[in-house]
Amino acid sequence: MKFNINLATLKPSVAPGLVVFLVALPLCLGIALASGAPPIAGIISGIIGGIVIGFLSNSNVSVSGPAAGLAAIILAAISELGSFQLFLTAGIIAGLLQLLFGFLRLGTLANFFPSSVIEGMLAGIGLVILIKQLPLVLGVDIQTAFANWATIHKGTLLLAALSLAILILWNKSSKLKKLTFLPPALVVVGLGIALNQFWIATASSWAIDQTRLVSIPALDSLSDLGSIFVLPDWSGFSNSAVWIVAVTIAIVASIETLLCIEATDRLDPLKRHTHMNRELKAQGIGNVLSSLIGGLPMTSVVVRSSANINAGGRYKTSAIIHGVFLLLAVVLLSTVLNMIPLASLAAVLIMVGYNLAKPAIVIHFWHKGYTQFIPFIITFIMVVVTDLLMGVLAGMAVSFFFLLLGNVRKAFAMEHTIVGDQKKYTLTLAQEVSFLNKTAIKNKLDQLPDNCELAIRAKQMSYIHIDVVELIQTFINEKAKEKNICITTTGFHKSVQSNEGESNIILSHRKSI
């Protein structure tokens, strides 16, 4: 894997790297918060995603880091496993599996998942993320808030409301969107710090206490970095629950990465293409290293990648620079980071969750028809009420059902006309006829009346399963004789021919019709 940093790529990458850093910093903290992990875990993931994956990947514009799509899985996994250290072991296994996926050339893995299931999964994750932020907005858990409205913390509620208003207005303003060096998430974080410091200085009852602020270890120098690392619980390698979590993360992270890479390759102004199997290897190594030192699993992320492209990023150097900036922020700005109210990050995550699960996505799939909408909504509901793996499996099952149904319906067509007193039927076979169509074709043939004519047309057919061959042969040689049905065939192999007026026909079992 060759990569050389030179002045030609370094100089134009500093500004985009800074922009991505400003976008990534609040997201790293927020996604760690949504994942139920220590805030520093999100920053570690961002550092590894920027520096390590930046070096190993051959994508020129994508940026990796902790992903909102994994937050719901991580939150549930940490709760189920009972410790963050056990979860880190699952992260290591997940990274090794991704590395294996790359060596097995499974870079096309995402192509086997229907868009309806993927979008349903993301929408479900979005709603879960959104709901999980409510306690941070209210300052207390939801049950307590409903039982006694007076327990709601006015400072966190006001700050979250102001932050959401800024994020919504920013998103709707074309002028504000052009301020690429001033990401809205950073503005919200800055507002949170400033407003809360004012409340503290004025001894206001609205002041947000330390328990509702970001908490990362304070460092004096780079030599203190080792103190922030959390090591995995190696006993997890013999824990079946850890392996289930690992497989789930490996599959979801790989799919999300491949989809993101596909999207960013389309956005790349220079229209370069990423080697998908190499990307899986890079992500696998990154996730192993991140989990070894207490970081979250990561994927290639659309938000950071698009920010990089929009800021003028054209080389992978900008992703590496953003990782270096994150590393420096941990060392130099830990005091400032610990002043960030969790309510500010909650507002950012509410917008992230809304963008994943906004009503427009539901309406879009509704208009695409029931074969797309039902797998989408089933996946969405199951992710919310059970977990992500069950949601995806349910969505895939429904999609597979519709695939089989469509295959049965489109593999053949039966038409009939009446000429005088004679009933004439035409069975037209499609390009491919599989064993799944056997029952439907049998039913159609069995429904033919006595003394009719049947034309079997196979001009477009390129494949037919031997079971269907035997079915047609049995019908022509036996059933058609009994019912006095006159059969003609066209488009079949030369060994499958019949003379009009004869119902007996010899088929080759070794060759397709």
Side-chain angles (χ1 to χ4, degrees):
M1 296 182 181
K2 297 180 180 180
F3 179 72
N4 295 313
I5 294 180
N6 53 57
L7 192 60
T9 62
L10 181 61
K11 190 174 180 180
S13 298
V14 173
L18 177 61
V19 171
V20 179
F21 158 71
L22 295 174
V23 171
L25 180 60
L27 288 176
C28 287
L29 293 169
I31 291 169
L33 180 68
S35 303
I40 193 64
I43 297 183
I44 291 173
S45 177
I47 293 169
I48 298 294
I51 298 174
V52 176
I53 295 182
F55 269 109
L56 299 178
S57 169
N58 78 325
S59 175
N60 292 280
V61 290
S62 75
V63 182
S64 296
L70 295 176
I73 305 174
I74 298 170
L75 180 66
I78 293 174
S79 175
E80 179 186 348
L81 297 178
S83 78
F84 183 59
Q85 288 80 0
L86 271 178
F87 172 77
L88 292 177
T89 307
I92 293 173
I93 298 171
L96 293 173
L97 289 174
Q98 284 186 291
L99 194 58
L100 179 63
F101 292 165
F103 282 112
L104 293 177
R105 302 182 181 276
L106 298 181
T108 58
L109 182 70
N111 296 334
F112 294 95
F113 289 79
S115 61
S116 57
V117 174
I118 294 171
E119 291 292 338
M121 175 191 75
L122 294 175
I125 288 170
L127 184 57
V128 171
I129 290 173
L130 197 153
I131 293 171
K132 294 294 183 182
Q133 304 319 303
L134 294 181
L136 300 175
V137 170
L138 300 174
V140 292
D141 61 79
I142 299 173
Q143 292 86 348
T144 302
F146 275 109
N148 185 359
W149 291 98
T151 61
I152 295 176
H153 193 284
K154 298 180 180 63
T156 60
L157 184 59
L158 175 61
L159 184 55
L162 288 174
S163 299
L164 282 172
I166 290 172
L167 292 170
I168 293 170
L169 290 173
W170 204 289
N171 189 52
K172 291 186 176 181
S173 172
S174 57
K175 291 183 179 179
L176 291 174
K177 283 183 178 179
K178 293 179 181 178
L179 302 176
T180 54
F181 281 91
L182 193 61
L186 191 66
V187 173
V188 163
V189 166
L191 171 68
I193 293 174
L195 192 55
N196 191 48
Q197 289 304 306
F198 172 76
W199 286 334
I200 292 173
T202 57
S204 171
S205 62
W206 289 30
I208 301 171
D209 60 60
Q210 189 61 47
T211 61
R212 297 185 177 93
L213 303 180
V214 168
S215 178
I216 65 171
L219 302 179
D220 296 323
S221 65
L222 284 171
S223 60
D224 294 333
L225 274 176
S227 64
I228 69 173
F229 296 154
V230 178
L231 301 180
D233 181 348
W234 301 106
S235 66
F237 278 97
S238 61
N239 187 328
S240 60
V242 169
W243 280 86
I244 292 172
V245 170
V247 171
T248 303
I249 291 173
I251 293 174
V252 175
S254 298
I255 293 170
E256 191 165 341
T257 288
L258 294 173
L259 292 175
C260 175
I261 291 294
E262 185 177 342
T264 52
D265 279 355
R266 292 177 186 174
L267 294 174
D268 183 2
L270 302 182
K271 303 302 178 186
R272 293 161 292 187
H273 296 285
T274 301
H275 192 291
M276 295 298 191
N277 293 318
R278 175 170 167 176
E279 184 65 29
L280 286 178
K281 294 175 187 177
Q283 293 288 332
I285 293 171
N287 278 322
V288 169
L289 292 178
S290 179
S291 298
L292 277 172
I293 58 175
L296 294 179
M298 69 197 75
T299 71
S300 177
V301 188
V302 172
V303 174
R304 280 161 241 193
S305 301
S306 59
N308 182 33
I309 294 168
N310 293 335
R314 298 294 181 267
Y315 309 103
K316 60 184 354 187
T317 316
S318 57
I320 296 171
I321 290 173
H322 120 275
V324 173
F325 278 133
L326 283 173
L327 177 60
L328 293 176
V330 173
V331 177
L332 304 177
L333 301 176
S334 57
T335 302
V336 177
L337 296 179
N338 285 334
M339 296 166 64
I340 300 173
L342 297 180
S344 298
L345 299 178
V348 173
L349 288 169
I350 286 173
M351 289 304 299
V352 170
Y354 174 79
N355 287 330
L356 289 173
K358 55 188 173 184
I361 297 174
V362 181
I363 295 171
H364 170 71
F365 277 96
W366 173 263
H367 289 308
K368 291 184 77 170
Y370 71 93
T371 59
Q372 293 292 309
F373 179 74
I374 293 178
F376 166 82
I377 204 68
I378 289 293
T379 306
F380 172 69
I381 293 172
M382 289 295 288
V383 166
V384 174
V385 300
T386 57
D387 57 52
L388 187 138
L389 185 59
M390 290 301 298
V392 170
L393 290 176
M396 288 296 292
V398 174
S399 295
F400 187 64
F401 170 77
F402 283 124
L403 175 66
L404 296 183
L405 189 63
N407 183 281
V408 168
R409 289 178 174 177
K410 296 177 181 178
F412 69 94
M414 180 74 85
E415 300 173 343
H416 81 278
T417 58
I418 299 177
V419 180
D421 294 332
Q422 184 64 41
K423 294 181 179 180
K424 295 187 176 182
Y425 291 81
T426 302
L427 175 64
T428 304
L429 300 176
Q431 190 173 9
E432 294 187 3
V433 184
S434 74
F435 71 94
L436 299 172
N437 309 117
K438 179 180 177 181
T439 300
I441 292 175
K442 182 178 185 302
N443 291 338
K444 287 293 183 182
L445 293 175
D446 289 345
Q447 291 169 9
L448 291 173
D450 295 352
N451 306 312
C452 68
E453 294 181 9
L454 171 64
I456 304 178
R457 305 286 181 249
K459 290 183 178 180
Q460 303 298 322
M461 188 180 65
S462 60
Y463 166 79
I464 187 169
H465 195 273
I466 188 64
D467 287 357
V468 182
V469 171
E470 293 176 349
L471 167 68
I472 295 175
Q473 173 182 273
T474 300
F475 178 82
I476 293 175
N477 291 340
E478 299 176 10
K479 198 83 172 185
K481 282 184 177 181
E482 298 173 8
K483 303 179 73 171
N484 193 32
I485 297 174
C486 178
I487 297 178
T488 58
T489 63
T490 56
F492 291 93
H493 187 271
K494 63 182 181 180
S495 63
V496 186
Q497 297 175 349
S498 64
N499 297 321
E500 188 165 347
E502 296 180 3
S503 59
N504 191 18
I505 181 171
I506 298 176
L507 303 178
S508 170
H509 285 213
R510 297 293 180 183
K511 300 176 182 178
S512 62
I513 304 181

